[in-house]
Amino acid sequence: MLSKILYENENCKWIMLARDPQKKTNVIDTNEYAIIVNQEAILLDPGGIEIFPMVLTSISEILDVKSIKAYLCSHQDPDVMSSLQLWLGLTPNAKVYMSWLWAGFIAHFGGEYVKNFVTLPDEGLALDFNQRKFEFVPAHYCHSSGNFHFFDPEAKILFSGDMGAALVPLDYPTVVEDFKEHIKYMEKFHQRWMPSNTAKNKWVQRVRKLNPSLLCPQHGSVFAGENVQLFLDWLEDLEVGKAK
Ligand code: FE
């Protein structure tokens, strides 16, 4: 699995894990993001059971697994969080942030760690993690009805879940190089998986205000610099949720 440092300063690092070559072909490829702040880590969308061994191996090379203190489950999908119980087996005191809407459903994976759940209100939440400020950003109906993204205002990095997701080949760059070329990998995904134009456009407006310099989706490649704007403009014009 590729491990790429997206941002680094004296006390914080964003690392992207991507393009797992050992993944079975019938399992959708996912990106995981580890944020390390003063030796403690948050894992954004821990991923599915199928890829847990590879993610664990890759992450063990960059940090002590016991230093993971928090997980975000952006929503309830299996590729997002079906590995959660396995991670909590290794880090039994870590917090798990998720929408209040999904807590009772995610508890079906096993009730042992429900005490670790921190449910997020619809309007989002500020997080102080080891003296660095982050924000859980509402992204409801993009695509799940209870959905959160994660923003680092200092680094100006937004983890954007399925927004910006693309189904790309294994040897595809981890950062988008040619935006126009990239459209073909994400157009159908957004048209089908995003159910609401209203929610999509509200999200675009919210993200424009945050003005991220990196936008990091759970599938595909990271948007950097002017490609963030190109992506937001493209998404605003795209009609989604069209019933056939
Ligand atoms: Fe999803």
Side-chain angles (χ1 to χ4, degrees):
M1 225 173 170
L2 282 178
S3 141
K4 184 183 170 71
I5 298 174
L6 297 175
Y7 167 90
E8 188 171 15
N9 78 357
E10 60 284 355
N11 55 15
C12 178
K13 229 189 230 186
W14 274 74
I15 299 169
M16 175 194 200
L17 301 175
R19 310 284 190 273
D20 172 12
Q22 292 171 65
K23 177 190 70 56
K24 292 174 189 156
T25 51
N26 55 6
V27 172
I28 190 170
D29 195 28
T30 56
N31 305 324
E32 287 71 38
Y33 298 90
I35 309 171
I36 307 168
V37 186
N38 299 322
Q39 326 310 326
E40 296 193 330
I42 310 172
L43 188 59
L44 303 181
D45 280 2
I49 290 176
E50 280 285 338
I51 58 154
F52 173 75
M54 286 76 92
V55 178
L56 179 61
T57 304
S58 300
I59 218 162
S60 301
E61 285 164 12
I62 50 180
L63 54 84
D64 174 2
V65 171
K66 297 250 174 301
S67 72
I68 302 175
K69 302 295 176 192
Y71 300 91
L72 167 65
C73 297
S74 64
H75 59 290
Q76 82 294 358
D77 274 346
D79 64 316
V80 165
M81 50 65 60
S82 62
S83 64
L84 190 59
Q85 298 293 313
L86 300 173
W87 284 108
L88 288 171
L90 298 170
T91 56
N93 297 316
K95 288 180 175 165
V96 185
Y97 293 91
M98 66 182 74
S99 164
W100 68 272
L101 198 68
W102 291 118
F105 294 73
I106 292 175
H108 273 273
F109 278 104
E112 191 185 345
Y113 296 110
V114 170
K115 62 177 183 355
N116 301 54
F117 291 5
V118 181
T119 55
L120 299 169
D122 280 343
E123 64 272 21
L125 199 69
L127 174 72
D128 191 321
F129 186 81
N130 276 352
Q131 285 147 31
R132 190 176 174 98
K133 298 205 179 329
F134 296 94
E135 290 165 30
F136 295 100
V137 180
H140 310 309
Y141 300 100
C142 295
H143 66 99
S144 169
S145 45
N147 211 127
F148 284 95
H149 296 162
F150 194 71
F151 187 56
D152 177 340
E154 194 179 328
K156 296 196 93 51
I157 302 177
L158 178 70
F159 166 68
S160 62
D162 282 321
M163 286 302 237
L167 306 177
V168 298
L170 197 60
D171 58 354
Y172 194 79
T174 49
V175 178
V176 175
E177 290 173 359
D178 183 332
F179 182 78
K180 275 201 175 128
E181 264 297 296
H182 192 65
I183 290 174
K184 66 172 180 279
Y185 297 113
M186 61 177 178
E187 188 163 28
K188 285 195 171 66
F189 185 97
H190 288 79
Q191 282 170 330
R192 181 65 198 249
W193 284 104
M194 299 304 153
S196 157
N197 284 305
T198 310
K200 180 261 294 177
N201 290 339
K202 213 169 160 183
W203 182 86
V204 169
Q205 285 159 22
R206 183 172 280 135
V207 174
R208 285 196 197 284
K209 280 191 199 130
L210 296 175
N211 192 25
S213 49
L214 284 184
L215 191 141
C216 304
Q218 195 223 349
H219 311 278
S221 304
V222 167
F223 298 85
E226 68 159 1
N227 282 336
V228 175
Q229 289 311 317
L230 290 175
F231 168 67
L232 294 174
D233 294 346
W234 170 82
L235 188 63
E236 203 159 38
D237 288 343
L238 187 74
E239 194 179 345
V240 301
K242 224 160 106 178
K244 282 187 182 158

